[in-house]
Amino acid sequence: MDREDMAQSAPGADNQVPDLPDCNLYLTDEALVAGVRREGAGGREAELETWGARLGRADLARLATEVNRQGPALRAYDRRGVRIDVVDFHPGWTEFLSLAFAQGMHGAAWTEPGPGAHVARAAHYLMHGQVEAGSLCPVTMTSAAIPLLARESWFATVRPLLASREYDAHDRPLAQKRAMMIGMGMTERQGGSDLRANLSRAEPQGGGWFRLTGHKWFFSSPMSDAHLVLARDGDGHSCFYMPRWLDGGRRNPVRILRLKDKLGNRSNASAEVEFEDALARRIGEPGRGIATLVEMASYTRLDCVLGSAALMRQALVQGIHHARHRRAFGRLLIDQPLMRQVLADLVLESEAATALALRLAGAFDRADQPAEQALRRLLTPAAKFWVCKRAIDVTAECMEVWGGNGYVEDGPMARLYREAPVNSIWEGSGNVMCLDVLRAARQEPQLAAQTVDGLARAHAGEPALRAAADRLLAALALGAEEQQAMGRMIARDLVLLVQADLLLRHAPEALSRAFVDSRLGAPGGDAFGVRPVALATDALLRRAWPE
Ligand SMILES: Cc1cc2nc3c(=O)[nH]c(=O)nc-3n(C[C@H](O)[C@H](O)[C@H](O)COP(=O)(O)OP(=O)(O)OC[C@H]3O[C@@H](n4cnc5c(N)ncnc54)[C@H](O)[C@@H]3O)c2cc1C
């Protein structure tokens, strides 16, 4: 232990709380372990345990602070004035991407398929996301692009680079690289939700290649080796694969105008770009680019749920840890009844989010089963809406558990809080997700009704589930305009029903009872700790984070 480590772990004579020590992010998370086994990735536990120890190291947490403090910077020209459009990162960024690649989060669920492949990836994501969230953006987009590219005749030329577990940060042509990353570019100045408004244009160039002009207003991970972008192509919009380098060793003219100065997600670069006759090849069906990219978004939306559950988990752990060490009015915070009520309420939210995220990942593994496919279609946007929204509230509340120390950048809480809203905004903002839930329900009305009804029927002794299901079924039968206005309620209630079902079947009784009573059976819930139900706090807190 060096001097800095010793100082940071010394018990606080001044009532200051030591940093979290090294811990195993897998073994200390009972909900994660149980979910991994239940959803079919039990065979991957040894690997997850090893990674849990690696990712739970205190030095990595400190590095995460650094890479977010010193964010990326644009270097548009080299010293001779040649346009290079390069983004420079803190050296720790390479470390986090190397870890993410070694874990296989950028594509192993597709390139190394097998039982529980998506669930195992989800478990990695839930751990990595607790340490450094910004590095998840490039690996999410890379992974989500693979099933789309796999349908192209030339996929074999990039597959080995996508399957590699070694991160390659070099900015050079693919022929000289050991691995690659892919981003996505849809959002333009005039809008990101309504992609039909996209103005970028593609003109055929011959040999399957197109020349693109236009811009993208948000273009994350601009140093990726390629982006999938949307552009007008004749009367419709098509999806294009736009490499960073062209054959012959020339940079594709994708000009980075500036980097976004973001609230959170500061380690990761998001750019505004302009295409100056950039070359790209069309993928998927001509004119069906929006559908192609919506498929990609169905994968990235799962990752938004996972990323949000990860933020909640880390905020909760930090909150409980703080309360176990900080004293006020002569007692530790953890021993104060009101603080225990708040923390126990947060435990319910975090465990329900983890269970739901892993259930959803399991549905991706079982996509060949029609019922799982239907559940995935309905539940993904609902979970993206509700879990991402809850993460904002959970990280805010956990920050307050730290008091003033939570609000300053010396500790992790401010960063967790600033990180939370982006998952709700990108990849389809909250309302857009709720509208997508309604669309899915309209596409398969009987399946949606059966799913909702089935969740209540599975728990005949739980009147609160029946009441919620009946409310939901009535809302699903409304006319389109009225239904839209209730979209958020519908998405929330669907998620709460699935979470209640999961916890009733798989969590300790004290936890599931408290969840059902507080989320479905009681009024209120505007803030954590206000619900008029008795939470079994001792058991809940010990389960959430062992002392
Ligand atoms: C950090 C960051 C990185 C990003 N990276 C990328 C990237 O790499 N690639 C990319 O393509 N995009 C990226 N985005 C853009 C993001 O996907 C969009 O911001 C998002 O889809 C919303 O689009 P918009 O900003 O144009 O908002 P708008 O489309 O203008 O929507 C504004 C609000 O209106 C709501 N709304 C829209 N339609 C309706 C409706 N019919 N009824 C009710 N409410 C509605 C939305 O939910 C939203 O809350 C990024 C965004 C951020 C913040």
Side-chain angles (χ1 to χ4, degrees), residues 148 184 186 228-230 239 289-298:
L148 275 56
M184 62 203 280
M186 297 180 287
L228 300 190
V229 302
L230 190 67
C239 179
I290 293 179
T292 305
L293 286 163
V294 164
E295 180 193 336
M296 183 172 178
S298 74

Side-chain angles (χ1 to χ4, degrees), residues 147-317:
L148 275 56
L149 294 179
R151 295 183 203 128
E152 300 301 311
S153 58
W154 47 269
F155 179 60
T157 59
V158 292
R159 192 188 185 286
L161 297 171
L162 289 164
S164 167
R165 292 274 188 133
E166 195 184 349
Y167 171 60
D168 183 344
H170 293 102
D171 180 27
R172 55 193 183 199
L174 281 185
Q176 299 163 31
K177 292 200 62 165
R178 296 186 305 276
M180 71 181 292
M181 290 201 306
I182 299 177
M184 62 203 280
M186 297 180 287
T187 308
E188 298 186 356
R189 264 181 218 102
Q190 67 281 358
S193 304
D194 184 1
L195 295 176
R196 292 165 306 182
N198 255 229
L199 294 174
S200 293
R201 295 205 68 86
E203 298 295 337
Q205 170 74 12
W209 287 83
F210 289 73
R211 225 169 246 289
L212 266 63
T213 49
H215 80 284
K216 294 293 162 186
W217 184 236
F218 279 93
F219 198 73
S220 289
S221 192
M223 291 300 288
S224 291
D225 301 280
H227 278 78
L228 300 190
V229 302
L230 190 67
R232 274 180 194 276
D233 168 22
D235 292 335
H237 287 93
S238 296
C239 179
F240 295 87
Y241 169 90
M242 179 184 272
R244 182 168 165 83
W245 288 83
L246 299 171
D247 290 347
R250 189 168 64 88
R251 278 193 178 87
N252 211 357
V254 177
R255 302 301 178 213
I256 302 180
L257 305 183
R258 60 173 171 168
L259 297 186
K260 298 288 193 187
D261 185 5
K262 297 179 286 186
L263 167 72
N265 201 253
R266 286 174 165 270
S267 60
N268 176 39
S270 302
E272 291 166 21
V273 296
E274 215 155 75
F275 306 142
E276 291 181 1
D277 278 336
L279 288 175
R281 58 204 306 184
R282 191 164 57 195
I283 69 161
E285 272 183 65
R288 299 264 308 146
I290 293 179
T292 305
L293 286 163
V294 164
E295 180 193 336
M296 183 172 178
S298 74
Y299 307 123
T300 60
R301 285 168 187 168
L302 167 66
D303 286 3
C304 293
V305 178
L306 291 164
S308 296
L311 291 174
M312 282 193 225
R313 168 74 190 165
Q314 184 56 204
L316 172 71
V317 166

Side-chain angles (χ1 to χ4, degrees), residues 122-138:
H124 280 290
Y125 210 99
L126 284 166
M127 295 192 292
H128 191 109
Q130 292 182 53
V131 188
E132 210 294 299
S135 45
L136 294 173
C137 170

